[in-house]
Each structure stands twice: as C-alpha cells, then as structure tokens.
Amino acid sequence: MESREAGVERLYPKIWGRMSARYYYLIQLRKQLERVIELFVKNSPHQLLADYGCGNKPYEPLFGPFVEQYIGLDLAINTKADVVVDPKGIIDMPDESVGFVLSTQVLEHVEDPKSYLNEACRILQKDGKLILSTHGYWMFHPDPTDFWRWTSTGLQKIVKEAGFEIVYFEGILSRSSMGLQLFQDGLLFKFPKAIRPLWSMLLQPFIIFFDKIAGNKSRREDACTFILVAKKL
C-alpha cells in the first residue's frame, strides 16, 4: 500500500538509515529487476505495463523509460492507483490489454493467489510477460495482511497452473545469508530505534559474505525471495 517506503529509498538504500536492515537485500532485488529489464523489456516494442498491487510505485523509475505507459493497479484505498482492483480481486481492465504485468512483493499478501495470477493472465496479451517477485523465507510483515511463503517448486507450480510458461527464474539471498537476515530481524525490534542501524551495520557484511560464496543453483532452489518472468501461453 502507500505506506511502503519511497521509491528512492527502496531502489538505493543506505547502510545507515531507515532501510539499513534491508540494505543488501534491496540492492540485490533492484539488480535482478534491472537484469530482467535488460533481457525482456528494454528491446521489446514499447507496451503498456501494469504494476499489479503498485503501492507507491517504487519501481516506476526502473521500468518507466522502457515502456509506452506505466500504470498502477491497486485497491481503491490507494490514491496513487491509476486503475482500481475491487475487493474480490477483479481488475477494471479489458482482456489482453497490456504487454507486461509487474508484481513485486505482492503475492504473499493476497488472499487468493490463484485468482490474482488468473487476473494477471487475463489482462496480458498473448506472449505478454508476468514479472513477479515474492518470498521464500521472510519475517511476518502484514500490509495489511500476510498469508504465504513459497518453495521454488511451489511457486513455479502455481504460476504454470495460471496459464504461464516460466522463462526466467532466480533467487535472491541464499539459505545461509537469509538465516542471518532472520537472525538480524529477530533481535532488531527489541532494540531502541537509535540502536537498530548499528545492529544492522554489524550483520549486513556477514549477510553479504555468505551470499557471495553461495552458488546460483542453490539460490534458485532455496532463497529469501524468488524473481521470475513468465510468458502467457
């Protein structure tokens, strides 16, 4: 929702500041999205992109220059949404009307993931792309709800069942680095706010180190967050 951090903080976090506990993670997420843009968006014909569950559109600066139009889809309570999604999850848009659907850290919050993915498929043109990221491991974070976590195979299964072919699949933060991230967060909120950045600065280098020594194959199987691109069949 709109309460999410501003786009510039999410895209370019500082090691000291409000987003210090997410410093390395947010950088890796941005880099993965930039890679997806390079591979699948940058050289495609300019098309309409729908940010499905847009919040405050933190990733518009990344995708906006490479698409014809960037529109936000969200519930009516989000005043930054360009198109309203009704409480049942129905998008007020015609079939096959967009070239890309972007969904970043939304799927774990929706009550019915299958309906959510079916709606994404419905509004996509044939061969249109779903760009989606969601959590494997992560702390409970209601916004306003928080329902799901996925294994790599479970996430791919539910996406395929909605009418997609997965053409790209990667993980962010390996098992060991995510274990440290959870350890960091497990104690973080027990500290006074003034101490939290210090605690994060102590843990973030270890999170970075253990992620750097992990292999890409293991990250695709077991990660903090998975990011995928899927083509509508």
Side-chain angles (χ1 to χ4, degrees):
M1 303 306 297
E2 288 183 85
S3 62
R4 291 175 72 179
E5 62 278 354
V8 68
E9 290 182 275
R10 191 169 181 83
L11 289 174
Y12 305 103
K14 294 180 173 57
I15 190 63
W16 177 269
R18 191 164 75 96
M19 301 306 297
S20 60
R22 304 287 177 262
Y23 172 74
Y24 180 68
Y25 167 74
L26 288 175
I27 289 173
Q28 296 309 301
L29 181 56
R30 188 196 75 230
K31 286 182 176 180
Q32 273 293 337
L33 290 172
E34 288 172 336
R35 187 179 182 202
V36 165
I37 290 169
E38 188 69 29
L39 292 173
F40 299 99
V41 181
K42 188 174 181 180
N43 296 317
S44 68
H46 284 201
Q47 299 181 69
L48 182 63
L49 181 148
D51 186 345
Y52 190 6
C54 64
N56 57 17
K57 305 178 185 177
Y59 295 109
E60 185 173 12
L62 294 185
F63 287 87
F66 302 107
V67 295
E68 189 174 302
Q69 188 179 2
Y70 186 110
I71 61 171
L73 282 54
D74 215 330
L75 300 172
I77 58 174
N78 185 353
T79 59
K80 294 185 179 180
D82 303 297
V83 175
V84 171
V85 180
D86 78 12
K88 294 182 179 179
I90 305 302
I91 302 169
D92 187 18
M93 292 182 70
D95 296 354
E96 300 187 354
S97 54
V98 303
F100 297 98
V101 169
L102 174 66
S103 173
T104 58
Q105 315 318 110
V106 177
L107 193 64
E108 69 267 22
H109 298 288
V110 300
E111 190 168 342
D112 188 343
K114 291 182 179 179
S115 295
Y116 177 92
L117 292 169
N118 286 337
E119 273 294 278
C121 189
R122 180 185 68 80
I123 66 170
L124 274 170
Q125 300 162 359
K126 183 174 173 55
D127 293 331
K129 305 292 193 307
L130 168 67
I131 301 166
L132 182 144
S133 64
T134 190
H135 288 305
Y137 303 111
W138 200 251
M139 64 180 289
F140 181 65
H141 61 296
D143 186 21
T145 57
D146 184 18
F147 292 111
W148 313 106
R149 300 293 182 271
W150 277 272
T151 64
S152 56
T153 52
L155 179 59
Q156 292 180 65
K157 180 177 185 292
I158 195 173
V159 171
K160 290 175 182 177
E161 288 174 348
F164 292 99
E165 175 191 355
I166 295 172
V167 295
Y168 181 90
F169 192 91
E170 293 290 342
I172 300 169
L173 265 66
S174 64
R175 184 190 305 163
S176 56
S177 57
M178 188 54 210
L180 286 167
Q181 181 77 42
L182 289 171
F183 175 68
Q184 171 200 272
D185 293 350
L187 295 178
L188 183 70
F189 300 102
K190 298 181 183 297
F191 298 137
K193 285 187 177 181
I195 302 297
R196 292 174 191 175
L198 289 171
W199 173 243
S200 298
M201 287 178 66
L202 177 65
L203 267 293
Q204 287 293 306
F206 291 98
I207 292 169
I208 294 169
F209 172 77
F210 280 99
D211 192 53
K212 294 295 186 184
I213 64 174
N216 286 335
K217 181 179 182 297
S218 66
R219 251 192 302 270
R220 292 187 196 105
E221 295 173 348
D222 211 10
C224 152
T225 294
F226 298 109
I227 180 166
L228 64 84
V229 180
K231 180 176 69 173
K232 178 178 177 177
L233 296 175

